[in-house]
Amino acid sequence: DVIIQDRNITTKTETDFEATYKGKRIYISTNHGFGKPKYAHLKRFNIDVIDIKTGMYDVQSYQDCHTMNDAIIYAVKGACLVSD
């Protein structure tokens, strides 16, 4: 399980999330230009995970998810910050 401490979370709403975790900056948002989700019951999230030291992207993608928590899980798994 991933527990991102509240002090490391800058923004957490239904549409936007920003936090630092294990040396990475995680940005997730539904405010983007990537169109609508494939299915109406999902939301399309822009997901970026950036290494704070190098500025390199570990994840630079979009994903259709049910909730913000699902998008966060996608981000940390995609950046190999947690195993399955």
Side-chain angles (χ1 to χ4, degrees), residues 14 30 32 35-45 63-68 70-71:
E14 285 186 25
T30 58
H32 53 70
K36 296 181 184 281
K38 187 172 181 180
Y39 300 105
H41 67 282
L42 299 175
K43 294 179 186 173
R44 181 157 290 177
F45 293 91
Q63 187 69 21
D64 296 345
C65 300
H66 287 96
T67 66
M68 178 60 77
D70 292 340

Side-chain angles (χ1 to χ4, degrees), residues 18-62:
E18 183 178 343
T20 56
Y21 182 70
K22 292 188 177 181
K24 312 290 183 185
R25 184 164 303 279
I26 302 168
Y27 296 103
I28 303 172
S29 180
T30 58
N31 301 315
H32 53 70
F34 295 115
K36 296 181 184 281
K38 187 172 181 180
Y39 300 105
H41 67 282
L42 299 175
K43 294 179 186 173
R44 181 157 290 177
F45 293 91
N46 177 52
I47 301 172
D48 292 332
V49 180
I50 304 163
D51 186 278
I52 293 170
K53 285 184 181 176
T54 67
M56 301 279 293
Y57 282 87
D58 291 315
V59 178
Q60 186 177 26
S61 181
Y62 67 84

